[in-house]
Structure formats: C-alpha cells, structure tokens
Amino acid sequence: MKKKLFALLMALVMVLSLAACGGDKGGDTQAPADSGSSTDTQAPADSGSGDAEATTDLKLGYDLETGISVYGPYYDEWSDMTDEELYEMAKAEDTTINVYATSSKMLKAEEPFEEMYPGLDLVVSDLDSDEVLSKAKIENETNNITADVLQTKDVNGEVFHEYYDNGVIEPFYPRDICTHISEENLKYSYPLYSSQAFWYYNTEAFPDGQPITSWWQIIEKNDDGSQKYALYTKEIGQETAYLSLFASFIINADEMAQSYKDIYGTDLEYTYDASSFAFEVPENNAGVEYLWRFTQAEMTFIGDGDELVLAVHNSTKDRPALALASAGKIENREESGYNIDWCINLTPYTALLNTESMFVVSGCNSPAGARLFIRYITGGADCQSGGLKPFTKVGNWPLRDDFVDEKNPAKLPELGARANDLVSIYDIYPDVQDMWMYWLNK
C-alpha cells in the first residue's frame, strides 16, 4: 500500500468533498442509454472488457471529463435483469458457480440455492480473507479463473483500490434491491450485511445506563491523575478495522474537536509531538491528538472477545472497566448471565460499519449465475429468498430497509455508527499504523 503525505490527504479530502457536492446523488452513476430491462437471454453486449479506459475511470470513482464523483451504485444492463432472466442465461453457460467466501455460513446456501434453481451447482470455498483475495488475484494474473463470486470485507480501502480498481473484481448492483439500501452504503460495494464493534460497560456497576457519551470520556482521568476506566481491547495496531476507525477520527478532526468542547466546555489542547515521523503529520488535528492520548493510556490487550466482555462483567463501580469488542459478544448477556451492554451513540460517532460485500469476479465462467446467486444471497427482489437467513444473528445488520431484524436488541440507525470512507482511510492508513506503533511503544 502506497504511503501518502498527510498534507496531500487533506487536499484530497477537500477535492472529493467538493466533487461529491457537485454530483447527482439520486440517479444512475453511469450513462448508457440502453440500460433498461433486458428481455432476451444473451449476456449484455458490454459485459466483457468493453471500453477499458471509461470503465477504469468510473471504477476509480472520478469522472475525468466532469470532475464529478461517480462511485456506486453503478447500474448497467445486468442491474435490471430479473431472477428468471438470469436463471435462463445461467443454464446456458457454465452451470457451476464457484463462490470464495470468508464466512463458513455461506456453505449453508448451497443446498437451498440448488433446490431453488435446478441444474445449477453452487460450490462454496470457505477461506480466510487473505486467501479469498490472493487466490482471486493469482487467477486473474494467470487468466485461469475459477471463482465467479467473492464475499469479502473492506475496512481500509485495500479491496476497493487494489482489487476493484485493478479489475480483479467488478460491481453488480441489482437496481430493484438497491432501492432498499441507503446510497451511502452502496458507494464502494454491494453489501451483504454490516457489523461493528462497541465499547461494553457493566450494567450492575452503572444501573442508570452507559457511563460515557463520547470517545474522549473513554480515556478520562480522575482528579488525582489516575485513569478513570480500566481499558480492555484487542491490540488495535493489529486489527485493521479498529485502526481504520482511528484513521477516520483524523479525517474527521473537526468533529472530534467539537465533541471534546461539547463534553468539557473548553477547546482541546494539543500535546502531541509529530517531529519523530518521516511523513508530515497535520498540526492541531483532534484525531491525531486522540490517537496520541489513547496510546498513552493503560490498556490490557486480550485477543478473545469473550474474555474481553468477561473482564467488564467482573469489574465493579469502584474499579470500572470498558472493553472494545464485536457487537455479537452481547450474546454473553443471555447465554452466560454477564452484566454487560453496549455504549451507543458516542460522539462524534460510535463506530464505522464493517461491511461484508459481494463481488463478481472479472472474466468469470458464470457471469449470469454469479449475479443470480448474489441476488439470492442478499434476499432477492422481495427479501424472501432465504439467502440472508444464515447471516441473521446478533451483531449482524443486513442493510435492506425491508429486512425484519428480530435478532438484534437495537436497529442499526439507533446506534450511531456511520459508513466507511474507504478512499480517505486508504490514503492515511499506513501512516496511522506507524503512529500507533511508535507512540504505543514510546
């Protein structure tokens, strides 16, 4: 991943913000006149390599002629095809649909999908995220493509920039389903579901509710200078999603500064020293200040999420603790009787959404079958296909507004998380990682 200077980052953020303001947020993000619904069973004429330069510019998210942001949702001739049309096409091509997935739950889709679409053979490979991407890249480079569909998560922009932009994978946005998904969650990919992490607190120690409302209060100190909360977390420098969240605080420094002022009534004092870094670190950036202060707090790193929330359960009001762990660990409340709950609606925002997404593999053998499966696994036209069922659990939030969530104790809009800005995070992620490691060990 190429390192970028922070000064360039700030300029880029401003340019992208201005470009986004000038874009058309409500309609198609591409302009083919013949992108209406197809009635035959032939593949779209431009579903192959097509105009490579135009496609690249579009996927890079920037129209060179207009200067307007053109991220997803990207609609093409595939987008308006029905399940029936795709099924007929899929039976006429390679009928084996290979899915590389990072979730073992995807295996549960094989039998019901094949029952719904006789004649098609769904083969799911359960891999870790690195394997999914590396195998797809090697297949692309050797022109020996096996995968048709990829399921993976992008939290720091690596997938978007290094696989999507480079043509290893390509977008598929089914228009009818996308009408049920907020456009901010379609910008970089077509989502399967989202998850997030929360700070957990002890409900017995704080019976009146969560003790914090801001990220700044997490690292608060008592009058005698001691740390107010014992902090438990995974080692953030080794957790891409967590480090990306800290990077977002630097990008949204104004919001971090305002959050501090809202809590304490005074402007933030900047105390970090950036002179030790070979790259330029912005001055008076509230996100950088928070990163510095957080690394200097006393923390206990625990790799297991169940043990993290157990530490909170074992804490007391006299020695209170907070733990950062995945949302799904709330299940320990019912299963093990833990006195734990989420801290929600923290300012400036609780978390970034970590979105599992579905991609079509470029040049795959079953392009129609791949798209049919993606429609199926994300609920189908009426959200009744059953494809989402294996992923319906506490801590997972499908992003469709017509999905009935009976598992989670709160709906996603009630929690205070926001969509990830993968372009901005990708540009500064390596530098933020360097700052974290250096300051943590200082």
Side-chain angles (χ1 to χ4, degrees):
M1 186 182 293
K2 186 178 179 181
K3 294 188 89 175
K4 303 288 181 76
L5 295 177
F6 267 90
L8 292 178
L9 158 72
M10 299 307 164
L12 175 62
V13 171
M14 292 179 66
V15 169
L16 290 176
S17 298
L18 290 172
C21 290
D24 178 3
K25 295 291 186 182
D28 292 5
T29 54
Q30 45 78 49
D34 60 346
S35 60
S37 177
S38 174
T39 57
D40 59 31
T41 57
Q42 293 183 353
D46 64 346
S47 63
S49 58
D51 184 342
E53 182 177 358
T55 301
T56 301
D57 292 343
L58 181 68
K59 288 185 177 181
L60 286 170
Y62 193 73
D63 188 316
L64 297 179
E65 292 185 3
T66 66
I68 295 175
S69 174
V70 287
Y71 299 100
Y74 167 64
Y75 298 123
D76 57 14
E77 287 86 345
W78 291 105
S79 300
D80 293 299
M81 289 189 176
T82 65
D83 295 333
E84 292 74 18
E85 290 171 327
L86 290 170
Y87 180 36
E88 291 303 314
M89 294 172 63
K91 289 189 293 184
E93 60 189 22
D94 189 335
T95 56
T96 299
I97 304 167
N98 287 286
V99 180
Y100 290 174
T102 60
S103 172
S104 60
K105 294 180 175 62
M106 192 69 73
L107 293 166
K108 296 181 179 180
E110 289 185 338
E111 185 174 338
F113 178 79
E114 292 172 355
E115 289 179 356
M116 184 173 290
Y117 297 106
L120 301 183
D121 180 23
L122 185 68
V123 179
V124 176
S125 298
D126 178 20
L127 308 168
D128 64 35
S129 57
D130 289 339
E131 285 181 302
V132 165
L133 295 171
S134 63
K135 284 174 67 67
K137 185 176 182 181
I138 292 171
E139 290 177 11
N140 179 270
E141 291 173 345
T142 60
N143 198 29
N144 185 25
I145 296 172
T146 298
D148 299 290
V149 177
L150 257 59
Q151 175 244 319
T152 190
K153 178 167 57 180
D154 192 6
V155 295
N156 67 349
E158 179 184 3
V159 175
F160 181 76
H161 285 85
E162 299 178 18
Y163 294 85
Y164 181 83
D165 280 353
N166 290 333
V168 177
I169 51 181
E170 61 188 51
F172 171 53
Y173 288 101
R175 194 190 300 265
D176 55 346
I177 300 177
C178 288
T179 62
H180 294 285
I181 303 173
S182 171
E183 193 161 306
E184 69 177 359
N185 293 317
L186 295 169
K187 186 173 183 179
Y188 298 108
S189 64
Y190 177 66
L192 177 60
Y193 66 87
S194 283
S195 60
Q196 60 184 294
F198 290 100
W199 285 98
Y200 286 78
Y201 73 97
N202 185 305
T203 54
E204 190 174 70
F206 299 97
D208 296 330
Q210 64 189 62
I212 58 171
T213 59
S214 168
W215 273 82
W216 291 102
Q217 293 172 313
I218 295 167
I219 54 174
E220 204 168 75
K221 294 185 178 181
N222 296 310
D223 292 338
D224 62 1
S226 61
Q227 194 166 298
K228 191 169 185 178
Y229 301 103
L231 301 181
Y232 297 87
T233 178
K234 294 182 178 180
E235 210 287 77
I236 290 173
Q238 298 175 11
E239 296 291 323
T240 307
Y242 291 173
L243 203 59
S244 295
L245 174 61
F246 278 77
S248 77
F249 291 155
I250 295 172
I251 295 163
N252 299 303
D254 290 347
E255 294 182 61
M256 288 295 290
Q258 186 62 50
S259 174
Y260 183 93
K261 189 170 185 177
D262 290 344
I263 292 295
Y264 301 109
T266 61
D267 289 332
L268 175 64
E269 179 183 356
Y270 297 95
T271 62
Y272 63 88
D273 177 12
S275 63
S276 300
F277 299 103
F279 47 86
E280 184 176 350
V281 177
E283 296 181 1
N284 297 339
N285 182 289
V288 176
E289 179 66 26
Y290 189 84
L291 180 67
W292 157 246
R293 295 190 188 190
F294 194 93
T295 60
Q296 301 312 294
E298 294 182 10
M299 289 173 281
T300 301
F301 295 139
I302 301 176
D304 182 81
D306 294 316
E307 293 183 14
L308 285 168
V309 294
L310 176 60
V312 171
H313 171 71
N314 289 333
S315 66
T316 64
K317 189 171 182 60
D318 292 333
R319 301 189 66 181
L322 300 171
L324 183 61
S326 63
K329 297 306 173 183
I330 196 70
E331 289 186 305
N332 282 285
R333 185 168 59 184
E334 301 298 329
E335 295 175 357
S336 305
Y338 289 3
N339 300 314
I340 57 173
D341 203 355
W342 299 329
C343 293
I344 65 174
N345 289 314
L346 300 182
T347 60
Y349 42 92
T350 306
L352 295 180
L353 294 180
N354 300 320
T355 301
E356 296 285 351
S357 298
M358 305 301 299
F359 296 95
V360 176
V361 176
S362 299
C364 67
N365 298 316
S366 305
R371 289 166 171 84
L372 178 64
F373 174 72
I374 289 174
R375 288 181 59 87
Y376 165 83
I377 204 66
T378 55
D382 57 2
C383 205
Q384 299 300 313
S385 72
L388 284 169
K389 185 177 180 180
F391 307 99
T392 303
K393 61 181 290 290
V394 175
N396 290 352
W397 284 269
L399 298 175
R400 296 181 59 150
D401 61 15
D402 56 347
F403 175 80
V404 179
D405 186 356
E406 298 177 343
K407 296 289 186 179
N408 285 295
K411 297 183 182 300
L412 191 60
E414 300 170 351
L415 304 173
R418 66 171 53 172
N420 201 328
D421 182 357
L422 294 179
V423 167
S424 298
I425 287 178
Y426 181 82
D427 285 330
I428 69 168
Y429 181 88
D431 293 345
V432 175
Q433 190 172 39
D434 285 350
M435 284 192 292
W436 170 270
M437 297 304 297
Y438 178 78
W439 278 338
L440 184 68
N441 295 311
K442 188 172 181 180

